[in-house]
Amino acid sequence: MATLKVAVQKSGRLSEDSLKLFRECGIKFNNGVKKLKAQSHNFPIEFLFLRDDDIPGYVEDGIADIGIVGQNVHDEYQKNVEVVKHLGFSKCRLSLAVPREEDYQDISYFEGKNIATSYPNILKDYLKSKGVSAEVHEISGSVEIAPGIGLAEGICDIVSSGSTLLSNGLKEVETVMKSEAVMVASKSLTEDQQKLVNQLIFRINSVLEGKNNKYVLLNAPNESLDKIIELLPGMRSPTVLPLADKGWSSIHSVINEDTFWENIEQLREAGAEGILVVPIEKMIR
């Protein structure tokens, strides 16, 4: 029987988010503390816990069949693997930053200057696209210290909240790329392994769809049904049930959470009452 070997970052937020997603997909395993491997007992999958920078290479070499990495890591290492799913979590951005006191106007600031980064390939491509010639210094870890010790006039690094830049006297000035977790796969999967990947992606899609949508229940006067149904289209169409009170109905529907908040005032104006919004664990179209 085929088994999928999945490379996951061994620690950090990306690791936590990845393992949470697998558990939400109904895949049970015990990764323990500092374990380098874990086996699921209800899905043919084995987890390998690795450094995130190593994951694309392990997938390319066939040591792992699929892996979860940041889009930034995939783009930087340019390994011969295929992105099979954008996962929508662990979002961040790769940005240029300079000392706070600098009078930064535009990207031409970096012309002829030194930039420290752990992502030299992405940065060089970005500077080339902007027509800027700068010296790129590749360093690993503690990139933020580079301007303070005179190594570079600016840095290019991953930014989430921006607090690390702030604490090091830096300000974000350009977004080089936006990143999120992606699933990458080997290009030499067997037919059985590809079937397992498809099953896994099906489960992931069901979980992600559920997170992005909400189950909505409300009561409304019958004369407002057409207007409310227009605002709550549902997966195919809403469920409408008569209430004990004549002239009133209960409407059940599924709606994207963002759309719900955009329409909430119109729903109330149309006469909707007793509105309940319920999370969806899984959603299969």
Side-chain angles (χ1 to χ4, degrees), residues 55-68:
I55 291 175
Y58 277 113
V59 175
E60 181 185 50
D61 294 340
I63 296 169
D65 303 308
I66 60 175
I68 296 182

Side-chain angles (χ1 to χ4, degrees), residues 20 24-25 203-217 234-235 252-257 260 276-285:
K20 179 183 177 185
E24 288 173 336
C25 288
R203 293 191 184 197
I204 290 172
N205 287 339
S206 300
V207 170
L208 297 182
E209 280 279 319
K211 288 184 177 182
N212 292 331
N213 291 275
K214 294 290 182 283
Y215 189 75
V216 179
L217 305 86
M235 292 177 68
H252 299 212
S253 188
V254 173
I255 189 171
N256 180 275
E257 186 171 22
F260 172 78
L276 299 179
V277 183
V278 182
I280 300 172
E281 184 175 321
K282 310 282 191 302
M283 181 171 165
I284 300 169
R285 291 187 181 275

